[in-house]
Amino acid sequence: MALPKDDPDAALVAAAIRGDRAAFAALLERHYDRIHGLAWQMTGTRADADDIAQDVCCTLVEKIGNFRGEAKFATWLCGIVYNACRDHHRRRRSFRGLTARLGVLAGLAAPPDGRDLHDQMWVNSAIARLKPALRDTVVLVAGQQLTHAEAAEILGVAENTVSWRMHEVRRLLGTGRGGEG
């Protein structure tokens, strides 16, 4: 495994792969806010972000040995979080019918706090109307400050596609059309 020379996590990743628990803990501590933040941006709720971040941290124990160093660790990790969010959305869609039938139980759940409501309103007003491909691209590039190349790797598209999507988002949000058509 050859880690990118400019990867600030290279030494910790190499040690974690060798089984160094302290190095693994340091990686989690260094990147937890990014994991949680991306999950929150992708899902729109703190509760979902908490669940996804916990799942990613547990999964990372198994997956770190698969890290090949073809990208920066942070980029690879964002790909794991992105995929976890997509899986979460798929599971949520499959349970939507059941949730509707059990709506009576909704009163048992704690209401979202003010921060969730404010953030949800912002997300909904700014990017909720975008097509999923555009929305995912914006979250990775603008929300996570990934380069177009890093986002392209995570999304499995060409870098030019990411650039076009970002241009399209600026155009659509500038006109208020949102990309639904």
Side-chain angles (χ1 to χ4, degrees), residues 34-45:
R34 172 171 259 181
I35 293 167
H36 191 271
L38 176 55
W40 195 341
Q41 289 174 320
M42 295 288 297
T43 63
T45 69

Side-chain angles (χ1 to χ4, degrees), residues 81-99:
V81 176
Y82 173 79
N83 287 329
C85 291
R86 286 181 41 199
D87 291 345
H88 174 80
H89 286 300
R90 276 190 217 110
R91 284 192 305 273
R92 176 163 279 167
R93 277 194 308 268
S94 70
F95 287 111
R96 206 170 270 152
L98 176 62
T99 303

Side-chain angles (χ1 to χ4, degrees), residues 55-78:
D55 288 347
V56 166
C57 290
C58 292
T59 301
L60 196 56
V61 172
E62 298 170 6
K63 290 192 177 204
I64 193 140
N66 297 332
F67 180 68
R68 295 185 306 264
E70 295 170 354
K72 288 182 183 178
F73 176 76
T75 303
W76 178 78
L77 182 58
C78 281

Side-chain angles (χ1 to χ4, degrees), residues 120-150:
Q120 182 110 21
M121 287 172 39
W122 178 84
V123 168
N124 286 342
S125 67
I127 63 172
R129 295 180 318 266
L130 296 173
K131 292 179 182 178
L134 297 177
R135 186 173 44 246
D136 293 349
T137 302
V138 167
V139 167
L140 292 173
V141 173
Q144 291 298 306
Q145 290 93 38
L146 295 180
T147 66
H148 288 198
E150 291 168 331

Side-chain angles (χ1 to χ4, degrees), residues 13 23 39 67 94 101 104 109 112 141 143 175:
V13 170
F67 180 68
S94 70
R101 290 189 298 274
V104 175
V141 173
T175 62

